[in-house]
Amino acid sequence: MNIDYDLLKTNIEANSEVELNINELLISAEVYKDDFIRVRNKEVTMIFDEEYELVECYGEV
């Protein structure tokens, strides 16, 4: 699975109600359990499905 960083950035921003360090999250992007993309930092962990829809979030967004 290749990560579309532009689409990922768009969906991180769309699912965030507080200011997040988007670049830090994008740098952390990894394929997770084959069909998911996970981004995380010390404040938040977000998991997106293969269509870049948010499926889980931990932390304050």
Side-chain angles (χ1 to χ4, degrees), residues 6 20 23 29 44 48:
D6 291 328
L20 296 173
N23 289 332
V44 66
F48 296 86

Side-chain angles (χ1 to χ4, degrees), residues 8-9 13 19 21 23 29-30 46 51-52 55-56 59:
L8 182 58
K9 179 181 178 183
E13 292 171 339
E19 187 173 330
N21 186 333
N23 289 332
E30 64 183 349
M46 301 172 91
E51 295 179 8
Y52 296 85
V55 292
E56 286 187 45

Side-chain angles (χ1 to χ4, degrees), residues 3-44:
I3 298 173
D4 180 337
Y5 288 93
D6 291 328
L7 185 55
L8 182 58
K9 179 181 178 183
T10 298
N11 285 334
I12 290 171
E13 292 171 339
N15 287 286
S16 302
E17 294 179 3
V18 298
E19 187 173 330
L20 296 173
N21 186 333
I22 301 295
N23 289 332
E24 185 178 276
L25 290 171
L26 291 173
I27 289 169
S28 76
E30 64 183 349
V31 175
Y32 177 69
K33 295 185 180 179
D34 296 328
D35 295 324
F36 298 93
I37 298 164
R38 177 172 63 185
V39 297
R40 58 187 171 167
N41 64 17
K42 65 182 182 180
E43 300 166 346
V44 66

